[in-house]
């Protein structure tokens, strides 16, 4: 299937987590998939969807709730199976047709790992953009940074709640749009 370059799907996940490590028998699992998109024609970002996933091999810890605001009650009440969440990405968000992006490689690695572990079809194309890496290169930083710090560097504010999938995805899409705007502007100037 050919790649559609008209928009970029930006995804951010939240996973079960513990401080300092998981209890015996539990593994980190995706509990929230935030989906945003970046329209390539006008470089506008939009929040598309939050998909709540019910974990099977772990519980939402108090630490995880403090970090994300996601509770075990929420995933029990609203959560759907991981496989169904992946199908939603494919059917409602064209994840197999679009280039997708995330802030860092964690999201890509978690999807690959959880898909393997649960024998679920990987819901994305292989074409992935690591926005954090791209930002560090564009800004000539010594290392990658967080979304809030990247926004601060550009004089922008974080929109929403930190560590919520939809808001992190949206802000990452905004940063990618800003970089592409500057790239196209610089490229146009050099062509003139």
């Amino acid at each position: 299937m050919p790649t559609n370059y008209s928009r970029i799907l930006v995804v951010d996940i939240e996973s079960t987590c513990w401080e300092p490590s998981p209890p015996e028998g539990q593994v980190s699992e995706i509990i929230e998939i935030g989906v945003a998109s970046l329209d390539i024609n006008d470089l506008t970002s939009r929040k598309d969807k939050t998909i709540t996933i019910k974990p099977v091999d772990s519980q939402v810890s108090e630490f995880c709730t403090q970090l994300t605001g996601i509770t075990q009650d929420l995933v029990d009440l609203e959560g759907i199976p991981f496989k169904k969440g992946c199908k939603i990405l494919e059917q409602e968000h064209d994840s197999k047709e679009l280039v997708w992006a995330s802030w860092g490689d964690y999201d890509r690695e978690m999807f690959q790992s959880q898909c393997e572990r649960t024998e679920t079809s990987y819901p994305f194309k292989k074409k992935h953009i690591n926005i954090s890496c791209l930002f560090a290169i564009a800004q000539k930083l010594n290392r990658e940074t967080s979304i809030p710090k990247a926004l601060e560097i550009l004089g922008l504010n974080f929109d929403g709640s930190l560590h919520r999938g939809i808001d992190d995805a949206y802000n990452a899409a905004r940063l990618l749009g800003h970089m592409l705007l500057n790239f196209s502007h610089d490229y146009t100037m050099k062509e003139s």
Side-chain angles (χ1 to χ4, degrees):
M1 183 174 291
T3 302
N4 176 343
Y5 289 104
S6 64
R7 66 186 165 100
I8 297 173
L9 193 65
V10 182
V11 173
D12 184 87
I13 62 164
E14 303 303 328
S15 303
T16 50
C17 53
W18 304 267
E19 185 63 37
S21 58
E24 189 173 328
Q26 294 193 41
V27 295
S28 186
E29 294 177 272
I30 295 169
I31 54 175
E32 183 178 65
I33 304 169
V35 183
S37 58
L38 176 67
D39 185 299
I40 294 305
N41 295 315
D42 60 10
L43 297 177
T44 56
S45 306
R46 75 170 195 235
K47 295 180 182 184
D48 291 331
K49 187 172 191 120
T50 296
I51 305 168
T52 305
I53 304 295
K54 185 172 183 176
V56 175
D57 297 316
S58 63
Q59 296 284 313
V60 178
S61 69
E62 186 176 316
F63 171 78
C64 187
T65 297
Q66 289 173 353
L67 185 66
T68 66
I70 300 169
T71 64
Q72 185 65 45
D73 287 344
L74 176 71
V75 297
D76 285 342
L77 183 65
E78 297 180 13
I80 62 173
F82 176 67
K83 286 183 188 214
K84 187 172 181 182
C86 289
K87 280 291 179 206
I88 290 171
L89 288 170
E90 290 179 40
Q91 294 169 352
E92 296 180 21
H93 301 283
D94 304 321
S95 63
K96 290 268 193 186
E97 297 173 26
L98 300 171
V99 173
W100 77 287
S102 63
W103 191 264
D105 275 332
Y106 175 79
D107 306 85
R108 181 184 57 77
E109 291 168 357
M110 270 300 288
F111 263 104
Q112 288 175 333
S113 170
Q114 194 158 334
C115 283
E116 265 181 40
R117 196 176 72 252
T118 61
E119 299 179 352
T120 301
S121 176
Y122 189 66
F124 301 105
K125 283 191 97 52
K126 296 288 185 203
K127 295 178 182 183
H128 173 263
I129 299 169
N130 178 336
I131 306 169
S132 176
C133 180
L134 190 61
F135 184 84
I137 293 167
Q139 293 294 317
K140 299 179 175 95
L141 303 176
N142 293 331
R143 58 188 161 88
E144 294 178 34
T145 189
S146 67
I147 293 173
K149 183 65 179 168
L151 289 164
E152 182 183 312
I153 289 169
L154 298 179
L156 302 171
N157 292 320
F158 189 91
D159 185 337
S161 299
L162 187 60
H163 300 301
R164 286 312 298 255
I166 189 74
D167 295 330
D168 288 352
Y170 174 70
N171 284 286
R174 289 174 60 211
L175 286 161
L176 181 57
H178 187 277
M179 286 186 284
L180 291 175
L181 177 64
N182 286 336
F183 173 77
S184 64
H185 181 278
D186 291 345
Y187 182 77
T188 304
M189 288 184 63
K190 288 177 182 168
E191 286 287 302
S192 299

